[in-house]
Structures are given as structure tokens and as C-alpha cells.
Amino acid sequence: MAQSIPPGDIAIQPGTKIVFNAPYDDKHTYHIKVTNSSARRIGWAFKTTNMKRLGVDPAAGVLDPKENALIAVSCDAFAYGQEDTNNDRVTIEWTNTPDGAAKQFRREWFQGDGMVRRKNL
């Protein structure tokens, strides 16, 4: 079963962080490319520490081996200096999909006993 094999690597461009520059009274969108570098189909999902300010579209999906997806991460307007942004994080989690599963994302893949990998941006 796929769940007993650890998920392979993914490649993310940019690889370490996203920076939203001023002005902060406008919504900014940054694009991230996620590539499944492994030999197995994976399910992936983005999480954020501040759902009101940070948005991800699409927030989850499925990638076949060597397939990639372009993800839009947006930062809504906010009052700079009046809100704490130091702990804002965007995290991607991914796991192998079960053998024979349809290519449709399912949240329960992350809730079972299969291994889930995670990367913070």
C-alpha cells in the first residue's frame, strides 16, 4: 500500500520564503510553482497561520509524478504597524495517495496513519 512508503520530495519555486512588499493597502498575489519530484502520485494541501490575511488558491490538489501546479498566494490589505505579521506562515503538506485512488483530492489522506511531509515558507 502507498501509505507505508514515505512520500518523495517536491520542488517549490521559490524554495524558502515569500515576501510581500509595500504598499500594504493593496492586495498582493505571489505565484508558487509546486512540482512532484517523486515517482508516486501525491496529494498536497496548503495551510496558513492567518486565514484572514493570507489566501492560497488552489489550497489543495493532486499531482502525478513530475507534474507541477501553479499556486497563487495572496496577502490582503492590512494596516501596517498595527498588526503582527512576524508569525505569518504558509505551509505545504503532502502525502502519497492510496493505490488506485481517483485523481481527486481527499482530506482524509492526511488524517490516517500514512506519513505526511511538511515544508514551511
Side-chain angles (χ1 to χ4, degrees), residues 91-109:
T91 303
I92 183 170
E93 294 182 339
W94 70 97
T95 189
N96 291 329
T97 61
D99 291 331
K103 191 175 178 183
Q104 181 173 358
F105 179 81
R106 300 190 61 90
R107 175 64 59 195
E108 56 261 26
W109 294 339

Side-chain angles (χ1 to χ4, degrees), residues 41-116:
R41 180 182 284 174
I42 60 166
W44 56 269
F46 274 93
K47 293 181 174 182
T48 173
T49 55
N50 191 327
M51 297 297 279
K52 288 188 292 210
R53 184 169 36 243
L54 298 170
V56 182
D57 184 38
V62 177
L63 286 175
D64 282 325
K66 311 304 177 221
E67 187 180 13
N68 61 55
L70 196 60
I71 315 301
V73 179
S74 59
C75 179
D76 285 334
F78 66 97
Y80 180 74
Q82 297 175 21
E83 295 185 43
D84 181 17
T85 59
N86 290 329
N87 295 320
D88 285 3
R89 299 279 180 274
V90 175
T91 303
I92 183 170
E93 294 182 339
W94 70 97
T95 189
N96 291 329
T97 61
D99 291 331
K103 191 175 178 183
Q104 181 173 358
F105 179 81
R106 300 190 61 90
R107 175 64 59 195
E108 56 261 26
W109 294 339
F110 293 87
Q111 295 162 347
D113 56 5
M115 187 181 287
V116 174

Side-chain angles (χ1 to χ4, degrees), residues 27-49:
K27 180 175 183 172
H28 293 279
T29 301
Y30 203 105
H31 289 90
I32 299 174
K33 183 178 178 182
V34 177
T35 304
N36 179 3
S37 305
S38 74
R40 302 190 72 90
R41 180 182 284 174
I42 60 166
W44 56 269
F46 274 93
K47 293 181 174 182
T48 173
T49 55

